[in-house]
Amino acid sequence: MEKTVEIVDLSFTYPDGHRGLEYVTLAIYSGENVAVIGPNGAGKSTLLLHLNGILRNNGAVRICGLPVQEKNLREIRQKVGLVFQDPEDQLFSLNVFDDVAFGPINMGYTEAEVRQRVGRALEWVSMTGYNERSSHHLSLGEKKRIAIATVLSLDPDILALDEPTSNLDPRSKWALIELLKQLSMTKIIATHDLELVRVLCQRTVVLDGGRVVADGKTTEILRDIGLLRAHGLAPRSD
Ligand SMILES: Nc1ncnc2c1ncn2[C@@H]1O[C@H](COP(=O)(O)OP(=O)(O)OP(=O)(O)O)[C@@H](O)[C@H]1O
Ligand SMILES: [Mg+2]
């Protein structure tokens, strides 16, 4: 099987000296749905930000064989669609249409193709009819859905989603899960939503303190109460 994401010994320290990741080694294969779970501050978002080179540690991450380095960033960003944890970081246009069209326009698609892609992406996140709305005046859950649409409109090979179901109401959450089940690209999902993990991801990676502390079948990881408890992930038993 083809390694879509290959991370070897990735460490990252933020400019203030805070250590975000420590010696992370991880290979993700084409078509896998991988959950990344871990307590607050574990390094999940930091890891995802390395997949499309927003954060970089030259050469430690490869996407479809390409090292994540300055000179490859354009190609890598076409391959990896990253949805940020905070939708405010993703939405910057005057209206929803422009936000969702930004990527396809940037990729040089024709106007008709851009319209078709925006329409399809908005339909996927059940936000048809929101074209003219101001992204900044939407509810948090609506913003989250538009942020996801901005990436789906690009049809990336790899979807990296940071807390995709946070702030979604149950109907929107399950609609998103159904959609993600139907999309065949490789998916890496950082989340605290263990329901999402259980139904979508065959494989789960547990991060804590910037390190990978477990990596295996979701069914086995979620059954391992000792492991979950040790990393602040187990539900209370009382
Ligand atoms: N810009 C930054 N500057 C300094 N330290 C940071 C910065 N962003 C994150 N960190 C630190 O890096 C560590 C990892 O943070 P990260 O956001 O990756 O955690 P996370 O697992 O995504 O947490 P959460 O579940 O809260 O989203 C944390 O200790 C955090 O305080
Ligand atoms: Mg995070």
Side-chain angles (χ1 to χ4, degrees):
M1 254 204 301
E2 190 197 337
K3 276 183 196 165
T4 305
V5 177
E6 189 170 18
I7 303 174
V8 179
D9 247 355
L10 172 64
S11 295
F12 180 78
T13 305
Y14 280 102
D16 68 355
H18 202 98
R19 199 89 161 134
L21 295 172
E22 302 239 35
Y23 310 110
V24 170
T25 292
L26 192 61
I28 294 175
Y29 295 87
S30 180
E32 272 195 297
N33 293 335
V34 179
V36 179
I37 64 173
N40 293 137
K44 304 180 296 297
S45 296
T46 307
L47 179 65
L48 260 49
L49 291 170
H50 278 84
L51 298 180
N52 74 349
I54 291 173
L55 299 178
R56 289 194 289 284
N57 177 342
N58 277 350
V61 180
R62 284 172 180 264
I63 301 295
C64 305
L66 268 185
V68 179
Q69 289 169 337
E70 185 83 38
K71 64 177 165 63
N72 297 327
L73 283 188
R74 189 173 161 81
E75 206 174 330
I76 280 170
R77 288 183 183 162
Q78 286 174 9
K79 292 185 186 302
V80 182
L82 173 64
V83 179
F84 296 108
Q85 183 161 9
D86 182 353
E88 297 287 350
D89 292 337
Q90 203 116 26
L91 306 174
F92 49 83
S93 303
L94 280 180
N95 63 37
V96 165
F97 181 89
D98 288 353
D99 267 325
V100 183
F102 181 82
I105 288 172
N106 219 19
M107 297 270 286
Y109 289 112
T110 63
E111 199 183 320
E113 174 83 19
V114 170
R115 287 198 176 278
Q116 197 220 328
R117 282 174 173 261
V118 172
R120 191 185 52 181
L122 289 178
E123 194 182 326
W124 273 344
V125 296
S126 308
M127 293 293 281
T128 301
Y130 280 68
N131 280 346
E132 305 305 325
R133 294 282 302 274
S134 155
S135 303
H136 289 283
H137 293 160
L138 300 177
S139 78
L140 192 49
E142 289 170 336
K143 282 181 190 161
K144 193 83 197 180
R145 284 149 65 183
I146 298 299
I148 293 167
T150 66
V151 166
L152 292 180
S153 66
L154 281 166
D155 232 342
D157 295 329
I158 302 166
L159 255 187
L161 304 170
D162 201 343
E163 303 286 358
T165 57
S166 66
N167 300 109
L168 296 196
D169 61 45
R171 182 177 52 193
S172 307
K173 164 178 150 163
W174 287 104
L176 178 67
I177 291 174
E178 280 311 312
L179 168 67
L180 293 175
K181 272 186 176 173
Q182 283 163 34
L183 298 174
S184 60
M185 71 272 275
T186 309
K187 301 178 205 81
I188 302 152
I189 305 176
T191 187
H192 296 293
D193 182 345
L194 297 184
E195 272 182 341
L196 163 73
V197 174
R198 200 169 271 120
V199 299
L200 188 68
C201 303
Q202 298 78 14
R203 178 176 164 203
T204 295
V205 172
V206 183
L207 275 186
D208 200 355
R211 290 177 184 260
V212 174
V213 295
D215 179 354
K217 280 193 177 153
T218 296
T219 44
E220 285 166 20
I221 296 226
L222 294 187
R223 233 190 348 239
D224 189 344
I225 296 299
L227 173 78
L228 297 181
R229 213 167 260 157
H231 299 287
L233 298 167
R236 276 173 66 137
S237 52
D238 51 313

